[in-house]
Amino acid sequence: MSELETKTLFSECITLLDYYLDKTESIMKLYQDTAEIQYFLFALKGTKSFLTSKENIDIDYLNKCINSLISGQKGRTGNDRLTNLRIELEEELELLKLRFDLK
């Protein structure tokens, strides 16, 4: 994968994380949810921070982060709002992997 494709994938990962951070914060404010959604929010923030703190990001690193986020959503339970967010995030990440032909 070219450097441009890697930068594009990185940018799309950050955009996706920002979207779900905003969405999760909105849901948390609206419904006054506590620990479950807050934990999910911290996981997203941590992943974004981890990605943006690394200077040289390669495709293997991005793929590992995406796979970690996907596996972190599987088999988790929670209230309906959180379950729906997790399913939606997992689907978006899978689509991202397909677009960039990642395994």
Side-chain angles (χ1 to χ4, degrees):
M1 185 174 281
S2 73
E3 186 177 331
L4 178 61
E5 289 173 315
T6 302
K7 286 181 180 182
T8 302
L9 176 58
F10 173 78
S11 175
E12 292 201 24
C13 283
I14 296 301
T15 300
L16 188 65
L17 287 170
D18 284 337
Y19 173 79
Y20 281 96
L21 281 166
D22 290 345
K23 190 170 185 173
T24 304
E25 287 174 342
S26 295
I27 288 171
M28 209 167 134
K29 287 177 187 174
L30 182 64
Y31 295 104
Q32 300 297 307
D33 286 335
T34 55
E36 291 176 300
I37 290 183
Q38 196 168 29
Y39 181 78
F40 181 72
L41 184 65
F42 289 150
L44 293 177
K45 284 181 179 180
T47 301
K48 181 181 175 188
S49 176
F50 193 66
L51 280 173
T52 56
S53 69
K54 189 162 170 121
E55 287 185 31
N56 296 319
I57 293 182
D58 60 19
I59 197 66
D60 292 333
Y61 180 78
L62 285 169
N63 193 32
K64 188 181 290 187
C65 287
I66 292 168
N67 286 335
S68 294
L69 277 171
I70 290 171
S71 66
Q73 307 318 308
K74 293 187 182 292
R76 301 280 180 158
T77 58
N79 62 41
D80 289 342
R81 291 178 293 279
L82 184 55
T83 299
N84 291 338
L85 269 176
R86 284 188 167 129
I87 290 168
E88 191 177 314
L89 176 61
E90 182 182 346
E91 289 171 352
E92 290 290 335
L93 291 168
E94 290 288 354
L95 288 172
L96 189 62
K97 285 181 65 165
L98 285 172
R99 284 187 38 229
F100 286 89
D101 197 29
L102 301 174
K103 297 184 184 200

